Amino acid sequence: MKTLQAVIAKQTLDLLKTNEWESISIDRISKKLKLSKKKISSQIKNKNDLIKNINKYFDDFIVVKTKLIEKSTPRDMIFEIFMLRFDLLNRYRSSIIKIFKVFKKNPNYFIIFLPSLISSIEMMAKLSNIQTKGITGIIKLKGLIVIFFSTFLAWVKDDSYSLDKTMTVLDKYLVKAENILKLIKK
């Protein structure tokens, strides 16, 4: 995971620990990494790409870590994988909260980021052996998007190291989703 993109993602997250989003730039990242702006620009074109790149860095991490999870039911797997994601977000908590505040202040950033997030959730569903094809699959995927985002909003408020509140909210939403799917299948 030592690709240039991963290095850029880590540097962006590190800069966000002590700086506001508005002061982050490709120039600043290139100076911090002692790389030419041209080399970074070959991977990252603009600030929107910086956010997408962070998300890809998280996706790559999840793919690697999922290999270490004991295989289980799709529901248990998605719980574990989502919690892996929230644990990773917690490592970079202050940086992620700053990005979230940017999304709240300027929803255009979120709209541009949304396809990347949907791809991430689809990837996590596949890693959990959740079928996302067909009508039922589309319903499941949309449900997982709602569950992830709702749980993310709980995570933002959960300042505990153990993320107990986040886990409780995630579990509650997964149980509700399971019950809804049972009704649909009848």
Side-chain angles (χ1 to χ4, degrees):
M1 227 192 294
K2 279 279 191 185
T3 65
L4 177 59
Q5 288 177 320
V7 171
I8 294 168
K10 286 182 190 177
Q11 186 60 59
T12 306
L13 289 164
D14 286 344
L15 280 171
L16 277 168
K17 286 179 187 175
T18 55
N19 299 278
E20 295 304 315
W21 175 252
E22 294 74 19
S23 70
I24 305 296
S25 68
I26 294 172
D27 280 340
R28 193 163 182 193
I29 292 168
S30 69
K31 286 176 186 166
K32 278 284 195 185
L33 293 174
K34 296 179 176 135
L35 294 171
S36 72
K37 184 179 174 186
K38 186 177 181 178
K39 186 167 186 166
I40 289 180
S41 293
S42 71
Q43 304 286 314
I44 308 294
K45 306 285 184 227
N46 54 44
K47 287 178 81 163
N48 295 328
D49 286 348
L50 287 174
I51 295 173
K52 292 175 191 174
N53 186 55
I54 290 168
N55 191 59
K56 180 170 180 353
Y57 170 68
F58 290 163
D59 286 348
D60 293 345
F61 178 88
I62 295 299
V63 168
V64 169
K65 291 296 182 181
T66 300
K67 293 175 184 172
L68 304 174
I69 295 175
E70 185 177 321
K71 302 299 177 222
S72 187
T73 66
R75 188 239 184 262
D76 289 345
M77 289 293 294
I78 198 68
F79 179 87
E80 290 295 324
I81 291 171
F82 274 12
M83 283 312 301
L84 269 174
R85 186 89 172 204
F86 287 114
D87 286 339
L88 181 58
L89 292 176
N90 223 35
R91 277 192 210 170
Y92 300 102
R93 185 173 190 78
S94 65
S95 301
I96 299 303
I97 297 289
K98 286 180 182 178
I99 292 170
F100 176 63
K101 287 179 180 177
V102 168
F103 286 168
K104 284 173 55 175
K105 198 183 324 179
N106 187 348
N108 288 337
Y109 277 117
F110 182 71
I111 291 167
I112 291 166
F113 170 68
L114 191 57
S116 181
L117 178 63
I118 291 169
S119 292
S120 297
I121 293 171
E122 188 171 21
M123 177 266 310
M124 291 186 282
K126 286 180 183 173
L127 290 171
S128 302
N129 293 318
I130 295 172
Q131 184 58 253
T132 58
K133 303 291 184 219
I135 293 172
T136 306
I138 292 169
I139 291 169
K140 288 177 186 178
L141 183 59
K142 288 181 179 185
L144 288 173
I145 292 166
V146 170
I147 290 168
F148 184 84
F149 192 69
S150 299
T151 306
F152 177 84
L153 294 175
W155 172 83
V156 168
K157 297 175 186 171
D158 186 357
D159 56 4
S160 68
Y161 180 75
S162 62
L163 297 179
D164 288 337
K165 292 174 189 171
T166 303
M167 282 191 279
T168 301
V169 167
L170 176 58
D171 189 55
K172 179 180 84 172
Y173 286 129
L174 288 173
V175 166
K176 283 183 179 182
E178 234 175 4
N179 290 335
I180 290 169
L181 277 175
K182 287 177 187 174
L183 285 173
I184 291 171
K185 289 181 179 179
K186 285 185 178 183

